[in-house]
Amino acid sequence: MRRWGCAAAARGTAAAMAAVLAMMASGWAAPAPGHRVPVVDGRGTASSSRPSRGSLGAPPQAGRPAQVVSTAAQRKSVTVTVYSNGLALVQERRRVTLPAGAVVLRYQDVPAALLADSVRLRVRPAGAVQLEQQAFQAATLTPAALLMAYQGKTVTLIQTRRVAGRMQQVKVPERLVADNGGQIWEVNGHYVVHGPGDLPAFEAPRLPPDLFAQPTLVWRLHSRRRGAVTIVTRYLTSGLDWHAAYALTLAAGGTRGELNAALAVENRSGVAYPDARLRLVAGQVNTAAAPRRRFLGGIVAGALAAPAAAPPSVSAQRAYAYHLFTVRRPVSLAPQGETQAPWLRAVRVPVRRRYVVQGGAAYFGPMQTAGAVEREPVGVELRIANTTAAGLGRALPGGVVRVYGPVGGNAGERPGGGKAAAPVPPGGDVFLGADTLPNTAAGGTLRLRLGQAFDLRARRTLAAFRVIAPRQYRATYRIRVRNGGPRAERVRDDETLRGDWTILHASQPFTRPNAQTARFELHVPAGGAATVSYTVEEKY
């Protein structure tokens, strides 16, 4: 039995196996030893040297797209907006030279914790390229994956043998028949089985183009001309956080003091952002949990947005009691991952913003105490009509909706008001929050809860409480909404009431949208407050 030299403990993972099978199915073959691979980098220059780590290019072949690698060296500017929940919005510009025709752009120096379906790509000048496909591939280059890439091919093994009484390393070409939980090698017409968990030392002539040494965004593009373009990307990622650090130094007597504060930013994303424009957001935004996915280390696709106008790539039609969405052009489905295609682009969609207090108590027993106070947040909501007049009017499948807006802008009001859009300040948009949209039929309404308003706060007081009879109570509530902002706001107060209820007295008119809600509309002046009170009798 042969002795294997320099063995390392490693296991062939299912993710690596699937990746290599996909490569072999696409016709990838290992070149002869010493073969030089031309690679086009982000500056548009070609080199006959082997691709460096992070430049896993493929040789240009007839009928295959050119490979272009973009790294942080091409970065012209980057803006990082950090939120206090471990989330950050990264927006950066890179200058990249693209050849004409089909191009695969490998965009490196991105964090592994990037939210793939939050990625947005823009190319300037507009219309220079057509985006066809986008994917995010985590680092998959491991010794086991590299060996599996040569399944069915001959590689050079480095073995330890006894030669003339001394142990020496010998290089022997042998063919790897299979690597499925262990290797099967063809040696002089015989088959040698090597158990799992023991990886032999070997030489690979080159790195396969579909194994990545670092997290990489991959875009398949069609470039209308050769030349330099500006790539503008935006994505959300975890791994960054910030907080305020305060220091209060009291003077003698303890009646005065000195207060100092610092803003501390933590970067655990694994990616450096030198010379970044940093922005920190105070206030809690709703991040909306994305649908649960199985991810074993392959490719995860991101949301696509075509930089240039193009025919719809997805068609929609009814199928029995359902809706069927069909991708018009072929899409590469990477193993252990997802790929998405551009589908919907609606401009000038009217959006209504409102502030909502969701209050009321479900059940008040005899232990309730008059004078009890609750502080309640004021929620921020957006509403969009799914109608043809609004530019929609189609079946919208469920998913997470992330909302962005300009700094200082009244997002959600300009489309309906018909005012010209304000210039976007340097650094671009900020992330305003997200919500999960259920399946919404044409004619329905999109209701998106973004988070909690910073300047608006509500305070609820149980002014009086009395037991009238068994399971019958009378209570008086007072809701006061304060506005610390520079403009007056309208706030809707939805009071949830249970059982058989009757409002005996209210300080202002209300409506009854359903059997369990009394709705009040408050006008809260800038820098002021508004109060509503009512007395309700409930029977259970």
Side-chain angles (χ1 to χ4, degrees), residues 160-181:
T160 301
R161 295 182 180 178
R162 184 177 298 275
V163 179
R166 298 177 59 187
M167 302 302 295
Q168 298 182 7
Q169 287 189 344
V170 180
K171 296 183 178 181
V172 181
E174 295 184 359
R175 191 172 74 92
L176 177 61
V177 179
D179 185 6
N180 300 312

Side-chain angles (χ1 to χ4, degrees), residues 7-88:
R11 294 182 180 273
T13 64
M17 183 185 303
V20 174
L21 291 176
M23 283 193 301
M24 297 179 65
S26 64
W28 178 83
H35 177 75
R36 300 280 177 170
V37 181
V39 177
V40 181
D41 65 13
R43 295 177 295 275
T45 58
S47 171
S48 61
S49 62
R50 286 192 180 96
S52 63
R53 182 187 180 193
S55 298
L56 305 180
Q61 300 181 14
R64 293 195 176 185
Q67 306 288 321
V68 178
V69 177
S70 174
T71 67
Q74 285 83 50
R75 181 185 291 159
K76 298 303 180 182
S77 67
V78 60
T79 299
V80 181
T81 305
V82 185
Y83 299 81
S84 57
N85 56 357
L87 189 71

Side-chain angles (χ1 to χ4, degrees), residues 5 45-46 56 87 107 114 123 126 177 196 204 209 243 254 282 307 326 342 367 388 401 422 431 484 514:
T45 58
L56 305 180
L87 189 71
Y107 195 89
L114 175 150
V123 179
V177 179
H243 64 276
T326 305
M367 297 304 293
T388 304
V401 180
F431 177 60
N514 56 59

Side-chain angles (χ1 to χ4, degrees), residues 422-457:
V424 177
D429 297 336
V430 293
F431 177 60
L432 301 180
D435 200 3
T436 300
L437 177 71
N439 292 333
T440 304
T445 301
L446 287 69
R447 296 177 174 85
L448 307 175
R449 298 183 178 181
L450 300 187
Q452 300 173 6
F454 187 90
D455 291 324
L456 293 168
R457 285 292 182 269

